[in-house]
Amino acid sequence: MIKKVEFAVPPHIKKFIEGTYDVTDKGFVKVEKRSELGRLIEFVERVDPYPKKYKADANLPVLKIQYYDESYSTYFPIDKIKEFCNLLDAEFRRALVCEVRSVHEYSRVEDYTPFVRRFLDRYGIIPDVDIEMETARKVYRDYLVKISRNFHKNFS
């Protein structure tokens, strides 16, 4: 049975998920069961014969997800949407760090802003509109601080 769920997310998360997964002609993100997002959905689902409707926030864009599930009585719970959005944000941050790190370590350039901008451009995320450029840079900067702290802790 093909199920659909819609919920509000920040614009950069919506563009990142739509750039990562297939989008149908009706605007739904088609999620396979074995993908990371499909496993998250399967983990969050609950059994309830009377599912509740979710009302999306009018200020944020709506992410529409379509997935396959064998059970008729499972649904995506409303109370888990915030945690699910946090997991999507963590996936965005992980992808940004992995891509920027792979280029920044070998370039030996001090400024990593062009690498962050290239990542955002790949997914069609507009800096300072969808996400502040300083926020995107801070994601990678926090990673560098964490790695530096662990390095000094291990070799001090």
Side-chain angles (χ1 to χ4, degrees):
M1 170 179 196
I2 294 178
K3 295 186 177 183
K4 298 174 182 175
V5 64
E6 300 177 11
F7 49 90
V9 293
H12 66 282
I13 301 294
K14 181 178 190 240
K15 289 184 177 181
F16 172 70
I17 296 298
E18 288 177 348
T20 305
Y21 298 95
D22 295 332
V23 180
T24 64
D25 51 349
K26 293 187 178 182
F28 283 91
V29 176
K30 187 177 179 184
V31 176
E32 300 295 327
K33 194 170 196 168
R34 294 185 186 239
S35 67
E36 186 175 350
L37 190 56
R39 290 175 193 246
L40 284 174
I41 290 171
E42 187 177 15
F43 181 70
V44 171
E45 278 187 326
R46 288 188 187 157
V47 176
D48 189 357
Y50 307 106
K52 294 134 190 90
K53 288 285 188 179
Y54 171 71
K55 184 173 180 176
D57 187 9
N59 298 334
L60 295 174
V62 175
L63 179 64
K64 301 174 182 180
I65 296 178
Q66 169 183 319
Y67 62 98
Y68 179 79
D69 190 15
E70 294 90 7
S71 175
Y72 286 101
S73 61
T74 59
Y75 77 103
F76 196 89
I78 295 171
D79 56 336
K80 292 294 182 183
I81 287 178
K82 184 175 180 180
E83 289 87 2
F84 190 73
C85 288
N86 290 340
L87 290 172
L88 293 179
D89 184 52
E91 186 177 338
F92 168 78
R93 290 170 182 268
R94 182 183 50 80
L96 187 140
V97 166
C98 288
E99 185 170 324
V100 173
R101 187 185 96 200
S102 66
V103 181
H104 183 235
E105 284 182 355
Y106 294 111
S107 68
R108 299 180 188 221
V109 178
E110 189 74 24
D111 186 29
Y112 50 85
T113 304
F115 309 132
V116 173
R117 189 174 302 276
R118 188 179 314 152
F119 173 82
L120 296 177
D121 289 343
R122 175 171 291 116
Y123 292 103
I125 300 169
I126 303 167
D128 297 327
V129 174
D130 296 330
I131 185 173
E132 295 293 325
M133 188 62 182
E134 274 305 308
T135 304
R137 288 184 75 243
K138 186 178 183 319
V139 170
Y140 188 67
R141 186 173 58 237
D142 288 349
Y143 167 77
L144 291 176
V145 168
K146 177 183 171 189
I147 294 300
S148 173
R149 190 177 328 125
N150 287 342
F151 179 78
H152 290 299
K153 184 171 66 173
N154 289 339
F155 292 105
S156 304

